[in-house]
Amino acid sequence: VWSYLQLQSGFDPPHQSDTRTIYIANRFPQHGHYVPQKFADNRIISSKYTVWNFVPKNLFEQFRRVANFYFLIIFLVQLMIDTPTSPITSGLPLFFVITVTAIKQGYEDWLRHKADNEVNGAPVYVVRSGGLVKTRSKNIRVGDIVRVAKDETFPVDLVLLSSDRADGSCHVTTASLDGETNLKTHVAVPETAVLQSVANLDKLVAVIECQQPEADLYRFVGRITVSQQIEEIVRPLGPESLLLRGARLKNTKEIFGVAVYTGMETKMALNYKSKSQKRSAVEKSMNSFLIIYLIILLFEAILSTILKYAWQAEEKWDEPWYNEKTEHERNSSKILRFISDFLAFLVLYNFIIPISLYVTVEMQKFLGSFFIGWDLDLYHEETNQRAQVNTSDLNEELGQIEYVFTDKTGTLTENEMQFRECSINGIKYQEINGKLTPEGLSEDSPDGNRHNTLFQINKEELFLKAVCLCHTVQINADQTDGADGPWQANGITSPLEYYASSPDEKALVEAASRVGVVFTGTSGDTMEVKSLGKPERYKLLHVLEFDPNRRRMSVIVESPSGEKLLFTKGAESSILPRSKSGEIDKTRIHVDEFALKGLRTLCVAYRSFTPEEYQEISKRLHEARTALQQREEKLADVFNFIERDLELLGATGVEDKLQEKVQETIEALRLAGIKVWVLTGDKHETAVSVSLSCGHFHRTMNILELVQHKSDSTCAEQLRQLAKRIKEDHVIQHGLVVDGTSLSLALREHEKLFMEVCKNCSAVLCCRMAPLQKAKVVRLLKTSPEKPITLAIGDGANDVSMIQEAHVGIGIMGKEGRQAVRNSDYAIARFKFLSKLLFVHGHFYYIRIATLVQYFFYKNVCFITPQFLYQFFCLFSQQTLYDSVYLTLYNICFTSLPVLIYSLFEQHVHPHVLQSKPVLYRDISKNAHLGFKPFLYWTVLGFFHAFVFFYGSYLLMGEDTSLLGNGQMFGNWTFGTLVFTVMVITVTMKMALETHFWTWINHFVTWGSIVFYFIFSLFYGGIIWPFLHTQDMYFVFVQLLSSGSAWFAIIIIVVACLFLDVVKKVLYRHLQPTSTEKAQLTETGSGINCLDSMCCFSDGETACTSLRRMLERLMGRCSPTRVNRSWSSSDPFYANDRSFLTLSTMDSPTC
């Protein structure tokens, strides 16, 4: 019934049938049986919430967090039963946290809505009822004919119908989709290309059949049936006919196209990869700590409940004379009473779980991420690009990296290709002063013409013509508009500006033009070449596009003499086996020599067809291209049939320059204990050569190879031999080279063995890698038993899968567009910036957040344990020690700011020291500061301080309670307030002890928090508040402070708590210093004496000048206002630290 109703209502859900039928201009058949298919509208929705679902959806997401849900339960318990504290004590902090998070997420979603509305409301022109109608982008329907003008972006996925050019071609850039900045050419079918006016298009009767929407940007299979008078003409449609939403029209005045995919069904929308939420190791540790504290909480609540009933077993305590039970209480169920008491204790102790931890961590991550963008050392002046943060959730993960996976081209290298040498017909040539000169001969050498036989000259010319014709290079349209192109009357050329999807192609075409064979552009299906000043026109018959499986591209052209020629270029592994003539062996040797020099190599070959052969291949190509089913497989078969029996012409060698400071950065990563893997699509020899030149492999390294294996058995045998060699030669460092095919064999059956070999190698190079193989390698390492933290860095669309797979993904803002940058967590302009990002920012973020998390748990243990101890003195009657206002404000106001400011500005070591000593990175690896030992230390410290607060106050004040001048006594509220006062001061001072880097903001919030507490308490206790049920705190604080004994107690207890802390730090620093602590105490240059610390003293001042300085020195502390920090100008990376991180005042002459 449901499917019948769907059919009747014309609703054809996507992907129910394999194809969709689109009537151009929505001219449906007139017979009555046709039910039009329903398609999505053209609205783009990237937002998460609507006005109606924001509150429920956001609340649902927030209460999925353990801590939030826990506090909600506590709040409900407080509402339902009679509990010792007011529901406001847990309700208000919960409301605060939920509101702050909701506002942040709501604002981010509002920005997404705004962006969506801008896109959906953009004006577009549509052909309707014989004229151009202006409408909004969201109103476009499938089947509408849309007009797009130059430099506009396409509002939907369109099939090109016609352009302002006679041949129906147009140029498009897809930078926002796949990151490629080159111009791509798209063509219309001849039958619609002639319809260049609105009036003509309005008469067009045609139907498009194509596949249902799919995410692959480079795949489109369809056909168009054009009705002309009595006949129907069927033409194939492929990716070259499809203009994608988000791409931009270039060098073409206007085009008309028919909408085939709209809204969320466009290829751009289908490629919105919902990023899987990456979680940092710190967040996982936080959740483990929460569970441990929940167990402590339950233990305390159960123990208190049991002790209450044990105590009440005695008659006199069960019902004392001053507090008799009511009849209802005597008759109530014991089990219900037990549960009620247990819940009441749970409420009393619930603050041991820090509710504001999550919101503080979120604020710290969000605000802290700005420092990366502000850091001038990560700013690249030439390109005017600064570092970019796309995900602030992973800041601290930058301090935990154990493996770096990097792409080679564009990441380690510049992706700027320069032609260096070539091999033609077995002879090597170099370019010298714009001429191709055989190797070993200079341009003016007397033997210069030794090889220039007529045959060789013809081969040279044919080779250069092949390079000029077999490519996808475009020329800037402004240069081809003149009648004579770029050639001027005197025959001198103005240099042509080429655009290309591949920098290699551009370098080759430019090199050919310098030595005399110039590609001067295409008009229609004609390619024009000027060979030694003589223009030649070649008719372009077919293009056999490049694809990663064939690793080659070809063109079939008709020469001026009418001969049909195939020119092919590609990787030597795909060209040489298909060549049957030419200097194959010599060329192979030359290609290997080029690769050893680190050059990127391509082989060039050709084949001529007889008219009969051409007829056959043309027919087979047409059949394969019009097929709606399995088009790719059919085309691959035809391409293989065409590209065989080739005659090899030669090979080219193009150099890709290394980026600056790559070698130093890789060496620094190695010193930091990080293993670097290079994953590249390049050939084996080129990749090894670049690895050696960038310091990834050392000359002293023993390089092991696992390459060119075709079967499982040989691959496994080789792996066993490598494992054996590593065990025998465990002294030397090993480097491993793997290629794509061997890798897939190794991963299929022998994963464990392969991982063992890799882990024992200090550098691994994987070459000839497909994009998905890169991601597989990262996943393999990520999921290995040690679960190391991985980082992937790349610059192209082919690196996206690897970037998304790794724990941290970094995009390089390179020449291959923005695809990698958009999908990454962080983006930087150059590989060399990685060292500062990890060693400085990563180190600081990790130290800050580790201390933040531990400190939060510590201050809540300090807060709640006295409440637990107090129950022993009040018969477990659930009497609260603190006033409910103090309970509510402790985490929100009194102790929140110092730790937040610490977590934003702390620098325990100067950035220069961290960067010049990468080995310090090892001190924080493997989550060292959030392990079990530090956790235990902070927890025990919390319990110890809580005991000192409580019993210190009790011993000093509990026995003799008449401490006021008039003989008045202290009550329980005064006692609780004393404990609370001592606690606020101690936990704030503890944060001050942890701080190494003092700015005015730190001083303001640290001492300001204590002052605020005193002012607030005086104000709160000095007024009778009409809306409070009880006035328990009226004048309590004023009375407390008027007692000299109370002041004495506060000072004694605070000193007693912190003294042991100071002693422990001093002893550890001197007996077991970590390398970070040693770095804090390193001497850094003449002129200034630094005693093993950041505390530097000016000339003539000895280390023992004063006791005050000595204490600071021992603590590794310094106050920026009186410190001169000196760094030698020979620091390995950044001699001038222009970082915004350094907020302290520094003496400029010595900095």
Side-chain angles (χ1 to χ4, degrees):
V1 175
W2 173 239
S3 53
Y4 173 75
L5 285 172
Q6 281 185 321
L7 201 65
Q8 289 309 304
S9 62
F11 179 73
D12 182 16
H15 313 296
Q16 192 148 313
S17 65
D18 289 340
T19 58
R20 54 169 56 186
T21 305
I22 297 150
Y23 290 86
I24 292 181
N26 291 310
R27 284 199 185 81
F28 301 120
Q30 295 309 305
H31 57 79
H33 308 302
Y34 178 73
V35 179
Q37 287 176 295
K38 279 277 179 78
F39 302 115
D41 63 15
N42 197 35
R43 281 179 309 160
I44 285 287
I45 302 164
S46 64
S47 53
K48 202 172 174 183
Y49 307 110
T50 63
V51 175
W52 309 112
N53 74 10
F54 176 71
V55 174
K57 196 171 178 181
N58 188 269
L59 286 177
F60 172 71
E61 283 176 2
Q62 292 211 52
F63 285 120
R64 276 169 36 183
R65 274 190 165 163
V66 181
N68 290 350
F69 185 68
Y70 158 78
F71 271 90
L72 180 68
I73 297 292
I74 292 291
F75 177 61
L76 294 175
V77 166
Q78 282 178 297
L79 289 175
M80 284 169 2
I81 65 165
D82 181 25
T83 56
T85 56
S86 151
I88 293 170
T89 54
S90 57
L92 194 65
L94 178 67
F95 176 75
F96 173 73
V97 168
I98 295 290
T99 309
V100 168
T101 312
I103 288 169
K104 175 179 169 273
Q105 291 177 347
Y107 173 68
E108 286 173 353
D109 205 61
W110 176 72
L111 290 177
R112 284 194 285 267
H113 269 284
K114 208 171 144 194
D116 288 349
N117 292 340
E118 213 170 287
V119 170
N120 295 331
V124 291
Y125 286 94
V126 178
V127 177
R128 281 192 189 146
S129 26
L132 267 185
V133 180
K134 187 179 183 178
T135 180
R136 291 176 183 275
S137 170
K138 63 183 177 187
N139 300 330
I140 298 175
R141 298 168 306 186
V142 169
D144 279 346
I145 297 175
V146 182
R147 189 202 79 165
V148 180
K150 184 179 178 180
D151 289 330
E152 289 180 354
T153 54
F154 300 114
V156 284
D157 287 355
L158 300 164
V159 164
L160 179 61
L161 294 177
S162 66
S163 74
D164 63 316
R165 296 178 180 171
D167 61 352
S169 69
C170 71
H171 296 310
V172 168
T173 170
T174 56
S176 62
L177 294 168
D178 56 9
E180 291 182 7
T181 50
N182 60 297
L183 290 182
K184 295 188 173 76
T185 305
H186 290 261
V187 286
V189 297
E191 284 70 27
T192 64
V194 294
L195 310 172
Q196 291 178 304
S197 68
V198 175
N200 288 339
L201 281 164
D202 199 44
K203 295 175 194 155
L204 172 66
V205 178
V207 180
I208 290 175
E209 289 170 275
C210 61
Q211 62 188 149
Q212 290 290 5
E214 63 164 17
D216 189 340
L217 294 175
Y218 309 107
R219 190 165 181 271
F220 177 68
V221 177
R223 64 178 170 221
I224 183 169
T225 310
V226 183
S227 306
Q228 288 187 342
Q229 285 99 30
I230 46 168
E231 59 171 342
E232 289 190 342
I233 299 164
V234 181
R235 293 281 181 189
L237 297 173
E240 72 287 341
S241 311
L242 187 70
L243 305 168
L244 300 179
R245 176 177 194 143
R248 193 178 287 273
L249 185 66
K250 290 279 188 189
N251 291 5
T252 313
K253 288 190 184 109
E254 63 171 16
I255 63 102
F256 290 96
V258 60
V260 284
Y261 304 130
T262 48
M264 298 309 285
E265 291 184 340
T266 56
K267 287 187 184 284
M268 181 175 89
L270 295 172
N271 271 283
Y272 285 151
K273 189 166 168 55
S274 52
K275 278 194 195 169
S276 59
Q277 199 58 43
K278 292 181 179 181
R279 286 171 67 222
S280 70
V282 170
E283 206 173 315
K284 291 170 193 165
S285 303
M286 247 160 65
N287 290 344
S288 321
F289 296 163
L290 272 177
I291 290 163
I292 293 169
Y293 274 91
L294 268 173
I295 293 165
I296 294 173
L297 170 69
L298 292 170
F299 170 73
E300 286 184 353
I302 292 167
L303 183 67
S304 300
T305 316
I306 292 168
L307 287 172
K308 177 177 180 169
Y309 283 92
W311 216 298
Q312 288 178 357
E314 288 182 55
E315 194 66 38
K316 61 172 181 174
W317 295 125
D318 185 29
E319 199 174 343
W321 59 269
Y322 55 82
N323 189 16
E324 290 189 3
K325 290 182 179 175
T326 61
E327 200 59 40
H328 175 71
E329 284 175 332
R330 286 199 187 99
N331 298 333
S332 63
S333 153
K334 280 191 173 177
I335 292 173
L336 280 176
R337 268 205 326 248
F338 186 89
I339 291 170
S340 166
D341 280 327
F342 168 70
L343 290 173
F345 279 119
L346 209 58
V347 167
L348 195 62
Y349 305 146
N350 82 76
F351 285 93
I352 197 165
I353 306 292
I355 184 165
S356 51
L357 172 61
Y358 277 118
V359 80
T360 311
V361 165
E362 275 198 13
M363 283 167 73
Q364 189 269 346
K365 287 182 172 182
F366 175 67
L367 297 171
S369 61
F370 287 109
F371 288 121
I372 291 178
W374 289 338
D375 188 346
L376 290 177
D377 283 338
L378 301 182
Y379 168 71
H380 191 242
E381 231 158 316
E382 291 161 40
T383 54
N384 188 26
Q385 288 166 331
R386 59 195 180 97
Q388 196 176 304
V389 179
N390 300 331
T391 315
S392 60
D393 290 348
L394 301 169
N395 295 341
E396 66 278 5
E397 205 81 327
L398 292 169
Q400 295 296 297
I401 305 301
E402 293 169 63
Y403 281 86
V404 167
F405 298 92
T406 170
D407 174 41
K408 182 184 78 64
T409 308
T411 305
L412 299 177
T413 62
E414 287 284 8
N415 204 7
E416 266 181 19
M417 307 301 171
Q418 287 173 327
F419 175 80
R420 285 286 173 248
E421 31 190 329
C422 62
S423 164
I424 304 174
N425 200 36
I427 298 168
K428 263 205 289 187
Y429 290 84
Q430 285 172 325
E431 186 191 348
I432 300 176
N433 297 337
K435 286 190 179 172
L436 280 185
T437 312
E439 196 179 52
L441 301 173
S442 64
E443 188 196 352
D444 47 4
S445 116
D447 292 341
N449 295 323
R450 193 171 47 145
H451 289 285
N452 285 358
T453 60
L454 194 60
F455 175 71
Q456 185 63 20
I457 288 171
N458 287 343
K459 285 286 182 192
E460 276 179 31
E461 200 177 335
L462 189 58
F463 173 83
L464 291 170
K465 280 180 187 168
V467 166
C468 277
L469 294 168
C470 182
H471 56 70
T472 56
V473 173
Q474 302 294 330
I475 292 176
N476 188 343
D478 304 339
Q479 292 185 308
T480 55
D481 288 348
D484 204 22
W487 295 81
Q488 277 137 27
N490 56 4
I492 301 169
T493 63
S494 65
L496 284 162
E497 193 184 339
Y498 293 116
Y499 293 105
S501 52
S502 130
D504 300 67
E505 284 193 339
K506 187 177 173 207
L508 292 175
V509 173
E510 283 173 348
S513 72
R514 285 195 301 271
V515 296
V517 180
V518 186
F519 167 63
T520 56
T522 54
S523 58
D525 57 358
T526 309
M527 298 181 84
E528 293 174 21
V529 173
K530 284 203 170 177
S531 177
L532 306 171
K534 190 177 79 206
E536 292 180 9
R537 287 169 175 252
Y538 288 82
K539 189 178 179 189
L540 181 62
L541 303 170
H542 296 284
V543 178
L544 280 53
E545 297 83 3
F546 175 87
D547 70 62
N549 301 325
R550 279 171 42 246
R551 301 184 67 83
R552 59 184 179 271
M553 79 154 285
S554 303
V555 291
I556 301 175
V557 294
E558 187 180 318
S559 70
S561 60
E563 196 182 359
K564 308 278 193 298
L565 298 170
L566 167 86
F567 289 115
T568 304
K569 77 166 187 301
E572 90 293 342
S573 56
S574 68
I575 300 283
L576 295 179
R578 301 181 156 271
S579 305
K580 64 166 191 181
S581 58
E583 297 285 351
I584 298 172
D585 294 332
K586 280 185 185 173
T587 306
R588 185 179 276 119
I589 293 166
H590 290 168
V591 165
D592 290 343
E593 284 174 14
F594 294 164
L596 284 173
K597 292 177 186 172
L599 303 181
R600 293 161 65 90
T601 56
L602 286 172
C603 287
V604 182
Y606 87 111
R607 175 187 174 186
S608 64
F609 298 114
T610 62
E612 295 76 25
E613 283 175 330
Y614 177 72
Q615 283 301 320
E616 188 191 350
I617 63 168
S618 192
K619 183 175 154 229
R620 288 179 68 163
L621 267 173
H622 181 73
E623 282 169 8
R625 283 195 161 132
T626 49
L628 272 182
Q629 308 296 328
Q630 297 177 321
R631 185 182 288 182
E632 278 90 347
E633 292 84 343
K634 289 175 180 169
L635 276 175
D637 291 344
V638 178
F639 288 175
N640 280 330
F641 171 72
I642 297 170
E643 296 166 327
R644 61 198 172 99
D645 303 336
L646 304 172
E647 183 176 335
L648 187 64
L649 289 170
T652 61
V654 173
E655 184 187 31
D656 191 1
K657 225 169 53 198
L658 271 184
Q659 285 187 20
E660 60 173 333
K661 291 200 173 147
V662 166
Q663 198 159 354
E664 293 95 322
T665 308
I666 289 179
E667 191 49 46
L669 291 171
R670 195 172 281 130
L671 285 172
I674 298 171
K675 290 194 172 180
V676 181
W677 288 36
V678 175
L679 312 178
T680 174
D682 269 4
K683 71 187 293 287
H684 172 200
E685 290 81 4
T686 310
V688 171
S689 166
V690 172
S691 267
L692 283 165
S693 62
C694 74
H696 178 234
F697 283 167
H698 285 301
R699 299 281 168 195
T700 53
M701 239 181 220
N702 182 17
I703 294 175
L704 311 169
E705 292 191 346
L706 182 70
V707 289
Q708 292 175 346
H709 288 287
K710 298 283 187 285
S711 72
D712 262 351
S713 50
T714 59
C715 183
E717 183 52 42
Q718 178 71 359
L719 272 171
R720 285 189 205 97
Q721 282 179 4
L722 294 179
K724 193 176 162 193
R725 272 181 68 182
I726 290 171
K727 272 182 190 155
E728 288 166 1
D729 290 346
H730 52 84
V731 185
I732 4 176
Q733 284 190 321
H734 298 279
L736 177 69
V737 184
V738 194
D739 65 5
T741 47
S742 309
L743 181 81
S744 39
L745 290 172
L747 296 185
R748 201 183 305 159
E749 300 286 328
H750 319 287
E751 209 173 276
K752 252 189 183 163
L753 188 58
F754 177 67
M755 285 305 299
E756 192 188 318
V757 170
C758 287
K759 281 179 182 163
N760 289 319
C761 292
S762 47
V764 178
L765 167 66
C766 304
C767 49
R768 287 286 189 236
M769 297 281 281
L772 279 174
Q773 276 185 315
K774 292 183 177 185
K776 258 189 193 166
V777 171
V778 177
R779 192 180 311 130
L780 179 72
L781 251 281
K782 224 172 94 172
T783 53
S784 65
E786 293 82 29
K787 301 258 183 303
I789 306 291
T790 57
L791 177 147
I793 178 167
D795 72 319
N798 59 337
D799 303 313
V800 169
S801 49
M802 155 174 101
I803 284 171
Q804 289 184 334
E805 184 61 53
H807 291 97
V808 180
I810 295 188
I812 295 268
M813 303 168 190
K815 301 209 167 46
E816 288 188 31
R818 287 286 175 273
Q819 190 80 329
V821 170
R822 284 213 321 278
N823 287 282
S824 65
D825 304 308
Y826 301 90
I828 51 179
R830 287 288 177 270
F831 183 79
K832 66 176 179 182
F833 295 152
L834 187 63
S835 62
K836 177 141 198 200
L837 195 64
L838 300 188
F839 304 152
V840 178
H841 291 281
H843 200 121
F844 283 157
Y845 285 134
Y846 177 72
I847 291 289
R848 289 165 186 170
I849 205 156
T851 310
L852 171 98
V853 170
Q854 309 268 29
Y855 176 77
F856 249 95
F857 284 112
Y858 152 79
K859 75 186 175 77
N860 280 50
V861 169
C862 288
F863 181 37
I864 275 317
T865 309
Q867 183 87 281
F868 172 65
L869 297 174
Y870 185 56
Q871 297 308 303
F872 286 89
F873 292 83
C874 67
L875 271 185
F876 294 92
S877 61
Q878 295 144 13
Q879 169 62 36
T880 172
L881 177 62
Y882 316 117
D883 180 69
S884 58
V885 170
Y886 284 162
L887 278 172
T888 309
L889 297 183
Y890 175 74
N891 273 322
I892 296 178
C893 294
F894 300 144
T895 59
S896 57
L897 275 180
V899 66
L900 177 65
I901 295 300
Y902 167 92
S903 66
L904 289 174
F905 297 135
E906 172 63 356
Q907 295 184 26
H908 60 306
V909 182
H910 191 277
H912 268 296
V913 176
L914 285 178
Q915 196 155 0
S916 57
K917 294 189 175 174
V919 75
L920 298 180
Y921 193 79
R922 295 175 186 239
D923 273 6
I924 58 165
S925 61
K926 301 204 186 298
N927 208 0
H929 287 246
L930 278 175
F932 184 66
K933 272 187 180 173
F935 170 71
L936 196 64
Y937 163 70
W938 280 94
T939 307
V940 169
L941 186 71
F943 280 114
F944 166 69
H945 282 184
F947 273 81
V948 176
F949 301 153
F950 185 82
Y951 286 111
S953 304
Y954 180 72
L955 290 170
L956 291 167
M957 318 218 65
E959 294 304 313
D960 181 6
T961 48
S962 59
L963 286 164
L964 295 171
N966 59 5
Q968 262 188 315
M969 295 172 71
F970 274 2
N972 67 316
W973 291 116
T974 317
F975 176 72
T977 307
L978 175 67
V979 173
F980 193 82
T981 305
V982 169
M983 177 169 63
V984 169
I985 295 170
T986 307
V987 297
T988 308
M989 293 292 288
K990 172 66 184 161
M991 189 76 262
L993 277 178
E994 291 301 311
T995 307
H996 292 85
F997 186 76
W998 284 90
T999 65
W1000 67 268
I1001 306 175
N1002 292 77
H1003 283 294
F1004 178 73
V1005 297
T1006 303
W1007 316 121
S1009 291
I1010 298 172
V1011 171
F1012 171 75
Y1013 164 68
F1014 276 88
I1015 293 170
F1016 174 84
S1017 299
L1018 287 167
F1019 179 65
Y1020 170 58
I1023 299 172
I1024 290 180
W1025 298 95
F1027 54 82
L1028 293 177
H1029 300 306
T1030 58
Q1031 302 295 332
D1032 294 330
M1033 296 302 289
Y1034 182 64
F1035 239 68
V1036 167
F1037 198 68
V1038 179
Q1039 256 185 340
L1040 177 72
L1041 296 188
S1042 67
S1043 162
S1045 322
W1047 281 103
F1048 176 71
I1050 291 170
I1051 292 162
I1052 285 286
I1053 295 168
V1054 171
V1055 170
C1057 283
L1058 298 177
F1059 179 71
L1060 283 173
D1061 241 25
V1062 173
V1063 170
K1064 180 244 169 197
K1065 275 181 178 291
V1066 169
L1067 288 174
Y1068 263 82
R1069 218 164 239 284
H1070 278 260
L1071 301 175
Q1072 278 184 319
T1074 62
S1075 47
T1076 304
E1077 285 164 350
K1078 285 177 188 166
Q1080 288 173 336
L1081 302 170
T1082 312
E1083 196 170 315
T1084 56
S1086 50
I1088 289 179
N1089 306 317
C1090 276
L1091 176 74
D1092 246 358
S1093 131
M1094 301 297 298
C1095 297
C1096 312
F1097 312 116
S1098 18
D1099 281 331
E1101 189 180 327
T1102 65
C1104 305
T1105 301
S1106 69
L1107 189 63
R1108 178 169 57 89
R1109 285 284 175 92
M1110 184 179 133
L1111 246 180
E1112 281 187 338
R1113 239 171 37 217
L1114 292 171
M1115 297 300 297
R1117 184 72 36 73
C1118 53
S1119 165
T1121 50
R1122 58 169 192 280
V1123 167
N1124 290 336
R1125 289 175 171 169
S1126 162
W1127 309 103
S1128 69
S1129 55
S1130 59
D1131 273 349
F1133 293 143
Y1134 301 90
N1136 56 328
D1137 186 2
R1138 302 173 292 163
S1139 165
F1140 268 83
L1141 284 163
T1142 312
L1143 291 165
S1144 64
T1145 48
M1146 288 202 274
D1147 193 47
S1148 53
T1150 57
C1151 185

